[in-house]
Amino acid sequence: MKMTYVLPQTGSTENEEQENWDGRFGDFLIDLQTQEGLTDLTIRQLQLHLRAYDAWLKELGQCWTSARREDIQEYLQQVRDHRSASTLRSKLWSIRRLYAWAGENSIVTVPSCWLTVARRSYERKRMVVPSSRQLQQLLELPDTSTDKGLRDRAVLELLYATGMRAAEILSIKLHQLVKDRCLRIMGKGQVERLVVYGEEAAYWVAQYKAKRQGMLQAAGHSVIATQQLFVSMGKHAAYQYFELRRMICGYARRLNMKLTPHTLRHAFATHLYQGGAALRTIQLLLGHAQLTTSTIYISRKVEDDQKMIRTHHPRGESYKPYRRW
């Protein structure tokens, strides 16, 4: 039986959704999701990129299957000139994957040389990771005398305690919580891993869980409307990514900081490293296939390197020789 791709809900009407949507895009997204196990957030981003690309071509009287080299190049050039480098990489990746799939399915063949664009020379922005003291201030901001504040505190504590991705924490189901303070989750690429967390996070999750049903009912939802651990007090029963990001950004602004859910993942890795955790351990906890990927998540500071030299180098002030025998 052939599967059909259902468009994710947005603020536009169904007719507006279908206007810039080629049915073959749905087949492409289904194949990508089933074969590679991409998250819903990644699929959603792909859908938005495809719709934008297709709408741009239609203004030129073209279709994505008949686009010329100059059409594709002009589109990518406009993205390069008006959007960030990360957006360019994301859109370019989406278009390349689309045409690779189209070639495999004998829809259209586009030479790979058409799907390139000269990048602007830029310095890669280094993520500013908050200190452990700043994170403590952030964790204490939610008003835990309210149900919403309890949920926010539980989410923040669990994010910082585990380094989970936003999509991973939003997908946690009630039945996954166990007494041993560990979670078996399905990460990026449908790779399963074990996530552990401490007593502080466990305490706040338990406090929130006691109020969870009341939150659903107060928002007009059935207590069985969703099995996701974290729920919303809005029109959706399950907590959504935009709500998570807005919550973290809102608390961060009160501290004159700019934070996102992904920043907490970086902070988790950096603070573990500063505390002496081995890179291999951090790699396992983050769920990375390659060690080099984990090193990107660690913001090393000069003072950390100086402390390491003072402690571990024979010429260091605090060096203590280690003798095996």
Side-chain angles (χ1 to χ4, degrees):
M1 184 175 68
K2 185 175 178 60
M3 297 175 62
T4 57
Y5 182 79
V6 179
L7 292 174
Q9 293 182 352
T10 63
S12 56
T13 65
E14 184 177 352
N15 290 335
E16 290 173 334
E17 291 283 352
Q18 297 295 342
E19 184 179 354
N20 293 326
W21 186 256
D22 188 314
R24 289 168 293 189
F25 291 160
D27 297 333
F28 164 58
L29 294 179
I30 288 174
D31 287 350
L32 210 57
Q33 190 170 35
T34 54
Q35 293 173 12
E36 300 189 20
L38 300 184
T39 65
D40 290 341
L41 286 175
T42 302
I43 293 296
R44 172 63 177 160
Q45 185 181 50
L46 267 167
Q47 180 218 332
L48 294 174
H49 289 338
L50 295 177
R51 180 179 288 115
Y53 175 58
D54 195 41
W56 188 86
L57 286 172
K58 284 179 179 177
E59 289 184 0
L60 301 178
Q62 295 284 0
C63 174
W64 68 275
T65 56
S66 59
R68 301 166 299 177
R69 176 174 185 168
E70 50 266 33
D71 298 328
I72 299 174
Q73 288 288 299
E74 184 179 353
Y75 175 75
L76 294 175
Q77 193 70 29
Q78 286 199 12
V79 174
R80 195 204 77 158
D81 293 341
H82 297 95
R83 305 298 293 274
S84 66
S86 59
T87 300
L88 172 61
R89 287 194 297 269
S90 182
K91 286 181 176 288
L92 186 56
W93 177 81
S94 301
I95 295 172
R96 282 175 174 168
R97 295 304 295 268
L98 171 66
Y99 282 118
W101 173 85
E104 292 170 359
N105 289 272
S106 304
I107 298 173
V108 63
T109 301
V110 172
S112 58
C113 61
W114 290 17
L115 306 174
T116 59
V117 60
R119 296 186 179 182
R120 291 173 294 181
S121 58
Y122 69 97
E123 292 185 2
R124 189 181 187 91
K125 290 184 179 179
R126 187 176 182 180
M127 180 173 289
V128 178
V129 175
S131 66
S132 56
R133 180 175 175 273
Q134 289 174 316
L135 251 300
Q136 185 61 39
Q137 291 176 327
L138 179 75
L139 294 174
E140 293 173 354
L141 282 179
D143 180 5
T144 53
S145 64
T146 66
D147 293 349
K148 178 180 177 298
L150 272 177
R151 182 202 60 196
D152 293 351
R153 181 68 184 263
V155 171
L156 290 172
E157 289 280 0
L158 201 55
L159 274 174
Y160 181 45
T162 62
M164 281 192 285
R165 302 176 178 92
E168 292 169 347
I169 200 165
L170 292 175
S171 65
I172 298 175
K173 303 295 190 297
L174 276 172
H175 67 81
Q176 291 179 259
L177 294 177
V178 295
K179 295 181 180 180
D180 295 332
R181 301 199 305 272
C182 63
L183 291 167
R184 192 171 295 278
I185 63 171
M186 197 68 70
K188 184 182 290 187
Q190 295 298 298
V191 176
E192 189 180 59
R193 77 176 190 278
L194 194 66
V195 170
V196 294
Y197 52 95
E199 293 182 3
E200 193 74 15
Y203 170 80
W204 288 109
V205 168
Q207 295 298 306
Y208 153 74
K209 190 179 175 184
K211 301 289 185 179
R212 179 181 177 276
Q213 287 191 2
M215 290 180 65
L216 283 170
Q217 292 174 327
H221 302 298
S222 166
V223 294
I224 57 172
T226 178
Q227 283 301 305
Q228 287 183 214
L229 172 62
F230 294 109
V231 299
S232 171
M233 300 187 75
K235 68 175 183 178
H236 301 287
Y239 202 37
Q240 304 294 307
Y241 174 75
F242 74 89
E243 295 176 293
L244 172 64
R245 185 182 177 91
R246 185 171 58 192
M247 179 268 286
I248 292 177
C249 290
Y251 286 128
R253 277 195 298 270
R254 290 166 58 179
L255 297 174
N256 295 318
M257 298 166 60
K258 291 184 178 181
L259 301 178
T260 67
H262 207 63
T263 312
L264 298 189
R265 183 167 162 84
H266 279 259
F268 166 79
T270 297
H271 296 168
L272 275 178
Y273 180 74
Q274 291 173 340
L279 279 175
R280 287 290 182 185
T281 302
I282 297 174
Q283 176 192 358
L284 290 173
L285 293 174
L286 289 175
H288 288 153
Q290 302 294 329
L291 184 62
T292 51
T293 307
S294 301
T295 61
I296 298 173
Y297 281 70
I298 296 171
S299 298
R300 297 178 58 188
K301 299 180 180 179
V302 174
E303 51 266 33
D304 295 331
D305 293 339
Q306 290 175 341
K307 180 180 178 181
M308 182 179 66
I309 293 295
R310 288 197 303 268
T311 305
H312 299 289
H313 193 277
R315 294 295 188 187
E317 301 169 3
S318 306
Y319 175 74
K320 293 182 179 180
Y322 173 75
R323 292 184 173 84
R324 190 178 297 274
W325 298 282

